[in-house]
Amino acid sequence: MSRRVRQKREHSRGEKTNVSSETLDCGSLTSATISGVDWTTLPDDTVIQLFDTEAAVSLSPRCKNLQRLKFHAAGSADALVSLQARELREISGDFCRDITDAALSVIAARHEMLESVHFGPDACERISSDAIKALAYCCPRLRRLWMSGVKEVNGDAINALVEHCRKLKDVGFIESDNIDEVALGNLNSVKFLSVAGTRNLKWGSAAQVLSRLPCLVCLDISRTDVNLSAITRFLSSSQNLKVVCALNCPVFEREVDSNPMQSHKGKVLLTFLNDIFKGVTSLFADNSKNVTDVLQYWRRTKNRDKNLDEIVVWIEWIFSYSLLRIAENNLKELDDFWLTQGAAVLLSLLRSSQEEVQERAATAIATFVVIDDENATVDCQRAEAILRGDGIRLLLDLARSCQEGLQSEAAKAIANLYIDSKVAKAVAESGGINILANLAKSINRLVAEEAAGGLWNLSVGDDHKGAIAEAGGIKALVDLIFKWSSNTDGLLEHATGALANLGADEKCSMEVAVAVAGGIHALAMLLALANLKECKSRYFVAARALANLAAHGDSNSNNAAIGQEAGALEALVQLTYSQNEAVRQEAAGALWNLSFDDKNREAIAAAGGVEALVALAQSSSSASRGLQERAAGALWGLPVSESNSIAIGRQGGIAPLIALACSNIEDVHETAAGALWNLAFHRENALHIVQDGGVKPLIHLCSSSVSKMAWFMAALALVYMFDVRIDTSVPIGPSSPGSSKILNMDGVGRMALKHVEEFVTSFYDPQPFHSAAASLVPSALAQIAEAIRIPEAGHLRCRKCLCKLTAKTLAPFLVTVHGNWQVRLDPHIAMSSMWKNFQPMFTLPGGRHAMHHSSLLQNAGAPRVLRAAAAASTAPIQAKIYAKVVLQNLEHHHEVSI
């Protein structure tokens, strides 16, 4: 997995006040949490979150000095209603979809000193004109009102603001379905007005009334269907109007293409049709004409004009809003805009002194670089435009901020930018990994979630895994799972996703698993909470993390440790019944890896794993290739145990594996062949494979698959099936009891082993083989060993019983004649059987389990038999050379003399 992007905001987030260590393990402040805290010193400017209602009631008499309140997350409304901060001047928040008319009316009634109210950018879906009227009646000092997504703003609400809020200067009704444009003409005190994104405005009447507003200085009509006529009216008739912002107005832009506009001296029109920075520059004196970033020029200017300051502050605000919304829409026709202007404007907004502007700019960057969030695709040109503009440094500076809103949005942007390899390298070199690892330790859930997402993306590939571990990122991620174990899907998905990627690295997997970090326990705990009817991504990510931790075989103890974790194997078995295919796939993958541990195999079977995995294989005929491969893989690992092998055969597991062996998908038929190989060791299963029509698919794989590994697995299965394990004739067909069809096993066996011989012969090159036969030089055998190497075979772990039986099963094929060893059976059968038992692939140096296999052969007394085979006068030259190759491999691993 490996990539994750966040294009649009989620609406189930929560954030906590950084008040006390007592809040570390809870999702909200409660009355118990605050009982020992002196809230009388709550600062004038405070960012809070979710109290429960009881806690808010407890706090209400102790926050009299509170003047500025900012909240995040849905669900805050009920708690906010209980506050009684009589001196409150400003309230702002996002994720406001749960705030109702009643809640806003009570908030207004208890805080009559309010001067600024800002709800957005997410929609206020449950607020209507009635609440706006209540706000007007209760808060006569109101100077600024911004609301996003109010469905209808009627004339009564607007006129109530006109009548009762005489100091109202800045109004924004954005993303609304309907606004009474005639009533807007009564806002005589307003200097700054935005109706961006609003639909159904009658622009003829709107232009007529708005152009007569005596105090209007700046008007934002971005993302509307405003036309050329209306904009011309604004510019020509408005007495004090200085700035009209019309970003992404398609109707107007089409009309301007065919009807060029006249310039209007003293007024600035900001559109995508011209250079935005140059437009803003025209507000300044001549000494700013050559400035690249006029907004930054203004920030550095001393002795600034107060009126101009207000205008530029407003421009920053509406730019951040509109560019965020435009980025979310991801319009293909705006590609050039983002590269020529948009990226530069967003980078400038990151330098704003307004925290909300910086947050929205960071969110817009996180959004506009992503062109396909389903497939985690980032536009490299856009990402590198941010890199060239010093955006990485700016975002990392924001991530270091003490403001948690800035931290989370900057972390989100960094996370998405990480997908571009050049940006990832730049972030890592700038200390970004340490910053994200520290942010992942935040007690603010939203900050931790975005930081974990950044570590998830950065952990893709091998370049940065070690640095994440060194920065303490692994422990931070594990701690997140313990800290936020419920109702935090996004955070848990990010944390487990990162751990899944890190677990694929052998060194990092040990750190994830160690008891200090508790990673295995944390992941198992998540799986234990799984609901089979849910399709939450955290479950399959947690299962994948366990699969990766268990994928390192003998190199560490993770595999056994997972099996020893109470409930882990049982949870994975249950997840194979999940209604979500991705969950079933990852659970099967984890069980596949875990089944290579002896104790795990038995525990999986005891937990119902055989029945579950057979059922999964039986239902996988139309499933994804990933699920088919993992279902077959899990049935490959389990039959290493004789009882499991027999149980799989009796449960009906062979038929679906034969069907998967017929797949055209290389990974699927290769894995199915491996499972059939393990099952074929037991006579009963070998008979089932024949009866269920498995010989033909295996012969086909042994001769026609594009995968040499599939050839190898199919050849092994055929050799074990026809190694005098099956009677000379057997009934065939799925309904074998009572069947009249009889198969001549002698003929079928010879045909099958003939194909095995052809597979073995495909590695045969006469010249080096004869040279090796006549030479005692190790390099000659080494040359052949490399020629026959199948790299993937080095990852196989052979069953212990197979290696131990080498001497016992090979001996009957050899006989002493006049003191010389000779082959006594049909050469095809002898060579195939000896090749099977020599298994040079399993002992070649460099294979993951080569030492393990060599030890088993050594302990079984294989060297004596191998020497005899190598010296047998009538043995095929290939068999003799393979015997020498294995002996040389054993010598390499155990210093055994040939």
Side-chain angles (χ1 to χ4, degrees):
M1 155 136 267
S2 295
R3 299 287 194 190
R4 44 80 62 187
V5 294
R6 295 285 295 284
Q7 183 164 13
K8 296 193 176 181
R9 291 184 167 208
E10 295 179 0
H11 305 293
S12 60
R13 293 174 171 175
E15 173 180 317
K16 295 201 310 255
T17 311
N18 188 359
V19 174
S20 167
S21 60
E22 294 177 67
T23 67
L24 283 173
D25 296 320
C26 60
S28 63
L29 294 175
T30 65
S31 56
T33 304
I34 65 173
S35 59
V37 181
D38 181 10
W39 288 91
T40 60
T41 59
L42 197 65
D44 292 351
D45 184 352
T46 299
V47 180
I48 70 163
Q49 150 72 17
L50 273 188
F51 311 109
D52 63 20
T53 303
E54 183 182 358
V57 170
S58 178
L59 279 175
S60 61
R62 288 182 268 178
C63 55
K64 63 180 181 179
N65 294 324
L66 184 63
Q67 293 188 12
R68 180 174 181 260
L69 176 64
K70 181 179 179 182
F71 64 90
H72 291 282
S76 300
D78 292 340
L80 291 171
V81 165
S82 300
L83 292 177
Q84 297 181 38
R86 296 294 183 185
E87 298 297 318
L88 190 66
R89 299 292 198 276
E90 178 180 341
I91 183 169
S92 65
D94 49 17
F95 312 113
C96 303
R97 59 185 65 242
D98 289 337
I99 295 182
T100 63
D101 279 355
L104 181 54
S105 298
V106 173
I107 292 170
R110 291 183 173 177
H111 303 95
E112 64 275 5
M113 303 293 286
L114 273 173
E115 296 178 0
S116 176
V117 175
H118 169 224
F119 292 157
D122 291 283
C124 303
E125 295 177 345
R126 302 176 67 185
I127 293 178
S128 72
S129 294
D130 291 339
I132 296 174
K133 286 191 289 185
L135 192 63
Y137 296 148
C138 297
C139 304
R141 295 171 178 261
L142 199 64
R143 301 173 64 86
R144 187 170 187 265
L145 176 61
W146 267 68
M147 288 187 173
S148 177
V150 177
K151 292 183 178 179
E152 181 183 12
V153 183
N154 63 29
D156 288 345
I158 295 172
N159 289 329
L161 291 170
V162 172
E163 180 179 356
H164 298 283
C165 303
R166 302 296 179 86
K167 296 181 179 181
L168 192 62
K169 184 170 66 172
D170 187 353
V171 172
F173 293 128
I174 63 173
E175 319 287 348
S176 293
D177 288 337
N178 193 8
I179 299 177
D180 188 326
E181 65 274 355
V182 175
L184 287 175
N186 298 325
L187 293 170
N188 292 325
S189 64
V190 169
K191 295 178 64 175
F192 306 96
L193 176 64
S194 175
V195 291
T198 295
R199 296 161 288 278
N200 302 317
L201 278 174
K202 300 178 180 65
W203 285 106
S205 55
Q208 184 178 3
V209 298
L210 294 181
S211 62
R212 293 201 296 263
L213 288 176
C215 298
L216 188 63
V217 174
C218 296
L219 175 64
D220 178 23
I221 49 178
S222 300
R223 298 171 288 116
T224 66
D225 58 357
V226 66
N227 54 37
L228 174 60
S229 175
I231 289 182
T232 301
R233 180 74 177 265
F234 292 135
L235 294 174
S236 61
S237 303
S238 296
Q239 182 178 354
N240 294 311
L241 190 65
K242 291 187 178 297
V243 178
V244 175
C245 187
L247 304 179
N248 192 30
C249 297
V251 174
F252 163 71
E253 291 166 1
R254 285 196 300 269
E255 292 179 347
V256 169
D257 281 342
S258 56
N259 299 284
M261 288 188 63
Q262 295 181 353
S263 61
H264 295 274
K265 188 175 181 181
K267 293 181 172 62
V268 176
L269 176 61
L270 303 174
T271 77
F272 285 169
L273 299 176
N274 47 40
D275 190 311
I276 294 175
F277 277 151
K278 284 186 178 179
V280 178
T281 299
S282 64
L283 294 168
F284 293 83
D286 289 342
N287 59 1
S288 66
K289 296 298 183 184
N290 296 322
V291 174
T292 303
D293 181 351
V294 66
L295 297 177
Q296 186 65 0
Y297 164 82
W298 161 74
R299 297 181 197 114
R300 293 174 177 173
T301 301
K302 298 179 180 179
N303 302 319
R304 299 190 304 229
D305 178 87
K306 181 180 178 181
N307 292 327
L308 187 56
D309 271 4
E310 285 186 326
I311 293 173
V312 179
V313 166
W314 180 84
I315 288 174
E316 286 190 332
W317 183 272
I318 57 100
F319 275 2
S320 66
Y321 250 105
S322 281
L323 292 181
L324 173 57
R325 284 296 187 232
I326 293 166
E328 288 174 344
N329 290 331
N330 196 20
L331 300 174
K332 180 67 177 174
E333 59 266 29
L334 294 181
D335 283 352
D336 288 341
F337 164 75
W338 287 120
L339 295 177
T340 57
Q341 296 195 71
V345 175
L346 289 175
L347 290 172
S348 181
L349 295 178
L350 290 180
R351 297 182 173 96
S352 173
S353 60
Q354 301 180 78
E355 181 185 329
E356 292 91 341
V357 169
Q358 291 177 307
E359 284 186 28
R360 285 193 289 272
T363 308
I365 289 174
T367 304
F368 98 105
V369 297
V370 178
I371 54 177
D372 182 357
D373 52 345
E374 291 297 325
N375 296 307
T377 305
V378 164
D379 187 303
C380 293
Q381 288 184 301
R382 297 181 186 182
E384 288 166 22
I386 298 299
L387 179 62
R388 288 192 303 272
D390 201 23
I392 302 305
R393 181 187 63 80
L394 294 172
L395 288 168
L396 290 176
D397 286 345
L398 294 183
R400 294 187 187 99
S401 164
C402 61
Q403 300 296 330
E404 293 173 334
L406 291 177
Q407 291 174 355
S408 65
E409 299 310 314
K412 181 193 301 180
I414 293 168
N416 286 359
L417 286 164
Y418 267 146
I419 298 176
D420 181 87
S421 58
K422 292 182 180 178
V423 176
K425 182 180 179 182
V427 173
E429 291 174 350
S430 301
I433 294 176
N434 285 317
I435 292 173
L436 287 178
N438 287 330
L439 290 180
K441 302 171 186 175
S442 173
I443 63 171
N444 181 308
R445 190 182 74 185
L446 183 55
V447 174
E449 177 179 330
E450 300 301 349
L455 293 174
W456 184 0
N457 282 352
L458 196 62
S459 63
V460 175
D462 297 325
D463 292 343
H464 307 296
K465 287 186 169 88
I468 292 173
E470 291 175 7
I474 291 177
K475 187 175 188 307
L477 291 165
V478 171
D479 288 345
L480 286 179
I481 297 176
F482 286 116
K483 187 185 298 182
W484 306 99
S485 58
S486 61
N487 299 320
T488 52
D489 289 344
L491 184 148
L492 293 176
E493 179 191 1
H494 298 175
T496 53
L499 290 172
N501 287 347
L502 291 164
D505 177 85
E506 184 175 328
K507 183 177 179 182
C508 290
S509 73
M510 286 296 294
E511 185 165 344
V512 173
V514 291
V516 174
I520 290 175
H521 177 65
L523 294 167
M525 179 181 67
L526 273 185
L527 293 179
L529 299 173
N531 183 328
L532 298 183
K533 294 183 179 180
E534 294 178 331
C535 62
K536 293 184 177 179
S537 56
R538 70 186 188 193
Y539 299 145
F540 73 79
V541 176
R544 175 173 290 181
L546 287 178
N548 286 349
L549 289 175
H552 303 288
D554 295 332
S555 60
N556 62 45
S557 59
N558 291 350
N559 204 310
I562 294 170
Q564 293 167 9
E565 181 63 40
L569 298 179
E570 291 82 355
L572 287 168
V573 169
Q574 286 303 306
L575 286 178
T576 64
Y577 294 107
S578 169
Q579 295 181 7
N580 180 269
E581 181 173 309
V583 175
R584 297 197 301 273
Q585 175 176 313
E586 297 305 333
L591 291 170
W592 181 5
N593 287 345
L594 290 164
S595 66
F596 288 98
D597 177 84
D598 293 342
K599 292 183 179 179
N600 285 349
R601 279 193 297 276
E602 305 311 317
I604 291 169
V610 171
E611 297 86 343
L613 291 167
V614 168
L616 187 63
Q618 290 171 336
S619 64
S620 68
S621 59
S622 60
S624 68
R625 60 187 294 175
L627 178 55
Q628 291 180 335
E629 179 192 7
R630 287 163 177 78
L635 290 175
W636 183 352
L638 281 183
V640 173
S641 159
E642 181 175 357
S643 59
N644 289 348
S645 180
I646 294 171
I648 290 170
R650 292 176 178 176
Q651 289 282 341
I654 288 175
L657 287 170
I658 292 172
L660 293 176
C662 296
S663 169
N664 292 325
I665 301 171
E666 181 179 329
D667 291 340
V668 175
H669 66 234
E670 181 181 291
T671 310
L676 291 171
W677 161 45
N678 264 1
L679 288 164
F681 185 77
H682 295 285
R683 181 183 179 282
E684 183 178 332
N685 288 336
L687 181 61
H688 278 308
I689 294 172
V690 174
Q691 290 176 325
D692 290 345
V695 176
K696 185 176 179 180
L698 288 171
I699 288 175
H700 175 76
L701 291 182
C702 194
S703 58
S704 303
S705 174
V706 296
S707 164
K708 282 194 174 182
M709 187 65 170
W711 288 23
F712 184 43
M713 296 291 95
L716 284 172
L718 290 170
V719 168
Y720 279 103
M721 287 167 57
F722 296 105
D723 180 6
V724 295
R725 293 173 189 277
I726 304 178
D727 296 335
T728 56
S729 61
V730 297
I732 61 170
S735 56
S736 52
S739 172
S740 60
K741 295 182 179 180
I742 301 296
L743 183 67
N744 185 328
M745 291 303 296
D746 185 56
V748 172
R750 288 180 178 277
M751 177 182 67
L753 294 177
K754 180 69 167 63
H755 281 86
V756 173
E757 182 195 6
E758 290 174 357
F759 166 65
V760 177
T761 305
S762 68
F763 294 95
Y764 175 57
D765 184 348
Q767 183 175 351
F769 269 71
H770 283 89
S771 297
S775 172
L776 298 177
V777 179
S779 59
L781 291 176
Q783 181 182 355
I784 292 176
E786 286 305 309
I788 67 173
R789 183 188 295 271
I790 299 175
E792 298 88 341
H795 297 288
L796 293 176
R797 186 174 183 184
C798 185
R799 293 166 47 168
K800 189 178 295 185
C801 54
L802 299 187
C803 288
K804 282 189 173 181
L805 288 172
T806 296
K808 186 183 295 184
T809 56
L810 182 59
F813 300 124
L814 303 172
V815 65
T816 304
V817 178
H818 303 300
N820 295 318
W821 287 98
Q822 297 183 4
V823 177
R824 75 173 193 176
L825 297 179
D826 181 285
H828 296 324
I829 298 176
M831 188 173 69
S832 299
S833 297
M834 286 189 289
W835 169 77
K836 169 199 73 176
N837 287 286
F838 299 161
Q839 296 180 7
M841 304 293 182
F842 291 134
T843 56
L844 289 174
R848 177 181 292 179
H849 304 295
M851 178 64 77
H852 165 76
H853 298 143
S854 297
S855 296
L856 295 177
L857 288 169
Q858 173 74 8
N859 295 338
R864 179 182 63 84
V865 182
L866 289 168
R867 291 189 194 95
S873 59
T874 59
I877 187 171
Q878 296 101 309
K880 297 169 71 173
I881 294 301
Y882 291 148
K884 290 187 176 183
V885 169
V886 176
L887 281 169
Q888 182 166 288
N889 294 343
L890 294 179
E891 181 180 36
H892 173 83
H893 294 298
H894 300 285
E895 298 182 359
V896 176
S897 176
I898 295 181

